[in-house]
């Protein structure tokens, strides 16, 4: 087994009990704190504005420049190379642990810059049916005994993609950035490619090498999860109610497109429910909060919201039922802090004693 430094950043709403599992975003070069921080904040910013699903972010630390070189080299070019070991660590150790211990799905995005742009493109060629997307910034494709363009062509000729796979490869200024960008772009443009490979080359010729992630990453992430985001927006803007049947249909669409189910973020579901509630559509609000509780069972406060809607419908029996349900679920709830639990309990007692 490989000893490696990694960073695991869980969503604010993380719970092992969540019905639909969390996508995984793996970011190489986490030892470069400036670029890693920018990547991490970009992901969280896009999540907060409903462009991305809540995801588990994993930082892979290479520690030193020499280790970084070995991590992105292969035995065909260097007898001390660790590229194959890193691949085994990712797919045979790390990802299975994330699925077992952290409720991670098989929706996987790999993000790499420069040498790790090269390495993430290698993963695309070698593990294309075991990932969802690769964002390869400032990559090169040719090394001694390695030609990733030929490797991709060979693998695409032998396999059929099971679901949509996204590949974004990005170049900066033509003087200091990758010289191999046009080779990959020409191959993809001039050959018949599996239609499920959603590829796009992005050119930022005014941007220097080290600044490429700042401009390339937001565009690429939005592309990868645009189908999810558009379907969420349709639900938010629809005049039709979000029902349990509609929510099941949404998850099925995600599975057909990405290969695995994705749900809707907690804040979005809660916002939809409150919208119905504010419009005095209490039955619709209740159903969405019920969907939320099925998806995020640890979000006990939704029971209080349901109770309030039942009070508005003059159904006191159901209202008190959900208040009691909230009290019971708080006992072993690890999602809230002790202070938050006390505040929720106080709110429940206040409603009961009115």
């Amino acid at each position: 087994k490989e000893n490696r430094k990694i960073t695991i950043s869980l969503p604010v709403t993380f719970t092992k009990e969540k019905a639909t599992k969390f996508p995984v975003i793996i970011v190489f070069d986490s030892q470069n704190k400036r670029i890693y921080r920018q990547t991490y904040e970009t992901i969280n910013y896009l999540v907060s504005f409903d462009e991305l699903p809540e995801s588990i972010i994993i930082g892979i630390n290479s520690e030193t420049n020499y280790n970084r070189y070995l991590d992105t080299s292969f035995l065909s070019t260097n007898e001390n190379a660790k590229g194959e070991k890193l691949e085994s660590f990712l797919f045979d150790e790390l990802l299975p642990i994330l699925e077992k211990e952290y409720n991670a799905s098989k929706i996987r995005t790999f993000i790499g810059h420069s040498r790790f742009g090269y390495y993430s493109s290698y993963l695309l060629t070698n593990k294309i049916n075991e990932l969802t997307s690769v964002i390869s910034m400032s990559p090169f494709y040719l090394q001694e005994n390695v030609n990733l363009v030929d490797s991709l062509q060979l693998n695409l000729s032998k396999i059929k993609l099971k679901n949509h796979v996204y590949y974004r490869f990005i170049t900066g200024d033509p003087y200091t950035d990758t010289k191999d960008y046009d080779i990959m772009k020409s191959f993809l443009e001039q050959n018949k490619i599996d239609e499920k490979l959603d590829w796009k080359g992005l050119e930022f010729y005014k941007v220097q090498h080290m600044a490429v992630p700042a401009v390339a990453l937001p565009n690429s992430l939005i592309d990868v999860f645009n189908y999810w985001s558009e379907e969420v927006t349709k639900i938010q803007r629809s005049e039709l109610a979000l029902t349990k049947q509609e929510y099941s249909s949404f998850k099925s669409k995600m599975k057909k497109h990405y290969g695995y189910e994705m749900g809707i973020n907690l804040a979005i579901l809660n916002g939809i429910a409150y919208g119905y509630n504010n419009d005095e559509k209490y039955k619709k609000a209740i159903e969405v909060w019920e969907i939320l509780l099925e998806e995020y069972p640890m979000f006990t406060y939704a029971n209080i919201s349901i109770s309030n809607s039942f009070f508005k419908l003059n159904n006191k029996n159901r209202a008190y039922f959900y208040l009691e349900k909230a009290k019971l679920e708080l006992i072993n709830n690890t999602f809230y802090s002790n202070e938050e639990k006390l505040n929720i309990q106080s709110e429940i007692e206040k409603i009961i004693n009115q």
Side-chain angles (χ1 to χ4, degrees), residues 30 42 83 96 101 103 112 170 178 186 190 203 207 209 249 268 302 353:
S30 65
T42 296
E101 301 294 336
N103 204 16
I170 304 102
T178 176
S186 294
Q190 295 172 15
E203 298 139 10
V207 179
H209 179 76
S249 174
I268 298 174
N353 295 325

Side-chain angles (χ1 to χ4, degrees), residues 21-85:
K21 298 178 182 296
F22 293 99
V24 177
I25 300 176
I26 291 183
V27 184
F28 295 108
D29 270 337
S30 65
Q31 77 282 353
N32 186 325
K33 294 182 180 179
R34 182 176 294 179
I35 291 181
Y36 182 72
R37 187 69 186 178
Q38 182 267 334
T39 302
Y40 176 82
E41 295 297 348
T42 296
I43 294 168
N44 284 328
Y45 185 84
L46 293 174
V47 169
S48 68
F49 285 97
D50 306 339
E51 295 289 349
L52 266 63
E54 298 163 312
S55 302
I56 299 170
I57 306 171
I58 306 296
I60 305 295
N61 191 324
S62 291
E63 298 190 58
T64 67
N65 282 335
Y66 182 61
N67 280 340
R68 182 175 185 264
Y69 169 75
L70 294 180
D71 281 344
T72 53
S73 298
F74 302 99
L75 293 174
S76 61
T77 62
N78 186 323
E79 64 180 10
N80 296 315
K82 296 181 180 179
E84 289 90 349
K85 285 186 177 180

Side-chain angles (χ1 to χ4, degrees), residues 166-192:
Y166 291 83
Y167 181 46
R168 294 297 179 268
F169 56 105
I170 304 102
T171 187
D173 77 84
Y175 304 106
T176 63
D177 216 45
T178 176
K179 304 295 190 296
D180 296 346
Y181 171 83
D182 288 335
I183 301 173
M184 178 61 81
K185 188 175 181 183
S186 294
F187 158 66
L188 292 170
E189 285 179 336
Q190 295 172 15
N191 290 272
K192 186 176 181 181

Side-chain angles (χ1 to χ4, degrees), residues 86-150:
L86 177 55
E87 179 184 359
S88 178
F89 167 74
L90 292 170
F91 287 89
D92 299 334
E93 294 183 50
L94 178 60
L95 290 169
I97 288 173
L98 293 176
E99 289 166 18
K100 182 180 178 181
E101 301 294 336
Y102 293 96
N103 204 16
S105 80
K106 285 183 165 55
I107 295 175
R108 303 160 174 171
T109 295
F110 293 85
I111 299 173
H113 176 243
S114 194
R115 288 201 66 86
F116 272 108
Y118 164 65
Y119 188 80
S120 58
S121 291
Y122 160 79
L123 293 180
L124 178 80
T125 67
N126 213 39
K127 295 286 188 179
I128 194 166
N129 262 332
E130 296 180 53
L131 49 77
T132 306
S133 60
V134 166
I135 298 173
S136 179
M137 298 172 286
S138 305
F140 49 86
Y141 297 106
L142 308 178
Q143 291 284 275
E144 183 182 353
N145 299 322
V146 177
N147 183 324
L148 294 185
V149 178
D150 286 350

